[in-house]
Amino acid sequence: MADFDAIVIGSGCAGPVAAHELAARGKSVLVVERGNYCGAKNVSGGRLYTHALADVFPDFLEDAPLERRVVRERISMLAPESGVMVEFTDEQMRRPGVESYTVLRAKFDPWLASKAEAAGAEYINGIPVEKLLKTGDRVTGVKAGDDEITAEVVLLCDGVNSLLAEQAVGAPRPARSSVAVGVKQVIELPERVISDRVACADGEGAAWLFMGDPTHGRVGGGFLYTNKESISIGIVATVADMVDSDVAIPQMLEDFKNHPAVAPVIAGGTVVEHSGHLVAEGGYDAMPALVGDGVMLAGESAMMCLNAGYTVRGMDLAIAAGMHAGRSAADALDAGDTSAAGLAGYVKALDGSFVMNDLRTLRHFPDFMEHTPRMFGTYPDMAAQMMRKVFLVDGSGMKPMRKVMWPMIKKVGLLNLARDARKGMKAV
């Protein structure tokens, strides 16, 4: 007889939700988290679309440690000395079901873990799982430290740089083009100062994405999210494109913080957290098999992350995947069949959800970003030059806009513009 019905490896977003769903169905569940506490090693830009959370915890607004509700969307194309920004705000952003909030994972992850524990899940922290126990091809448990612990089903929720996915389903380590490296800082500022600087009421804030100069023209971008009394700011750049870069990621972050479009927002703040993390960027085509005999994958261990350029999502996908994984694992346990076939209900549930729908919809976007370098250098510079001609007045006399823009378009090439626009439209 197995020690537990289920063992969950990792307590980010997917793991505790899966554990909660299993424990709520009366299953014995052990969560093994290698961080000394939940949230100790987890990193994300910091924005959560709460629709998925509401499906698991309908009353989450009562006690979830959320920071600010996002009511302003900003996207900027930065050249070295200038920026062109598009801003969107809409009262619909306050409507239940489409709300999103900034979060700090050091606060949010322990809250999720507490929900799993309240449902009956057991936790072990500070111990990495480096090996799966197997009988033939079937996963039968884990080796954690010096202990071997068995289970009818093991759920891998251990992140993008999974140590176990290859052992579980034969998935190779992610290709360099499928992952990005992210560096993030949390900068402390007074609540009212943050509200004033992004033109929001206290309790409300902005999600701001940047492309171009933040990564010095490399594939990737910058982000800035407003928390209650801090700002999360960072850089994400594709590993494959950074190999021959002469500017390291930490230096990119410092340059980004000093950009004239960014520096006034964080001026006077104190850095209270610095972190780095790999980010899944490959999308649908980089996903491994989601189930094997006695094992399931959810969250970033299954490469469930979406970068659409105008928004970045991972936490809502992980929460939904954790929910479906936990429920499907409970069904398989009830049926007495935790083989790959018995766990296939998880794959079916995901296929019928927004998770796989959205990943499939944007499956070509990672390739578009990787093979359209003009998006990160040429076009931000072009936008800046155009705006200078439009807004800077020196008394030398205006020119018709067609004469202002045509030399810039000609320099890029009309055919190149058309090709990139066509590729972009097909990718989204």
Side-chain angles (χ1 to χ4, degrees), residues 281-290 302-306 317 347 351 355-366:
E281 291 271 296
Y284 182 83
D285 290 327
M287 293 178 67
L290 298 178
M303 303 295 282
M304 293 177 180
C305 192
L306 276 174
L317 276 68
V347 179
D351 278 339
V355 176
M356 297 304 285
N357 176 80
D358 294 0
L359 284 164
R360 278 192 291 260
T361 297
L362 292 175
R363 69 183 300 173
H364 299 300
F365 194 77

Side-chain angles (χ1 to χ4, degrees), residues 87-123:
E87 179 174 283
F88 172 72
T89 186
D90 190 332
E91 284 301 304
Q92 292 291 313
M93 297 168 80
R94 296 178 171 86
R95 179 169 59 84
V98 299
E99 290 177 308
S100 66
Y101 286 82
T102 55
V103 297
L104 294 168
R105 295 293 295 273
K107 297 179 181 179
F108 184 70
D109 289 10
W111 176 81
L112 272 183
S114 73
K115 292 294 186 181
E117 288 184 294
E122 297 182 38
Y123 262 76

Side-chain angles (χ1 to χ4, degrees), residues 99-261:
E99 290 177 308
S100 66
Y101 286 82
T102 55
V103 297
L104 294 168
R105 295 293 295 273
K107 297 179 181 179
F108 184 70
D109 289 10
W111 176 81
L112 272 183
S114 73
K115 292 294 186 181
E117 288 184 294
E122 297 182 38
Y123 262 76
I124 296 177
N125 286 85
I127 298 178
V129 175
E130 297 179 351
K131 182 179 179 181
L132 295 176
L133 303 180
K134 300 182 77 173
T135 300
D137 292 331
R138 181 181 180 82
V139 175
T140 57
V142 304
K143 183 175 175 60
D146 295 327
D147 296 323
E148 293 189 351
I149 311 170
T150 59
E152 297 295 335
V153 61
V154 174
L155 288 77
L156 302 189
C157 306
D158 55 334
V160 60
N161 196 25
S162 174
L163 302 174
L164 304 170
E166 185 171 4
Q167 297 176 44
V169 293
R173 299 298 286 273
R176 293 185 303 181
S177 59
S178 296
V179 291
V181 59
V183 176
K184 171 188 172 182
Q185 290 183 348
V186 176
I187 299 176
E188 198 171 72
L189 282 165
E191 182 176 13
R192 172 46 46 184
V193 170
I194 295 171
S195 300
D196 289 345
R197 288 180 180 179
V198 296
C200 290
D202 290 348
E204 297 185 334
W208 198 349
L209 300 182
F210 304 81
M211 61 187 298
D213 192 63
T215 52
H216 289 233
R218 297 286 177 168
V219 178
F223 62 83
L224 186 155
Y225 297 111
T226 54
N227 309 312
K228 287 179 181 177
E229 296 181 328
S230 65
I231 286 174
S232 296
I233 187 170
I235 294 288
V236 178
T238 302
V239 170
D241 197 44
M242 285 297 297
V243 171
D244 61 351
S245 174
D246 57 358
V247 182
I249 283 278
Q251 185 59 52
M252 287 182 178
L253 177 57
E254 290 305 310
D255 294 344
F256 177 46
K257 288 164 58 181
N258 289 312
H259 191 280

Side-chain angles (χ1 to χ4, degrees), residues 11-27:
S11 189
C13 287
V17 171
H20 173 274
E21 295 301 289
L22 279 156
R25 290 272 293 269
K27 309 306 178 188

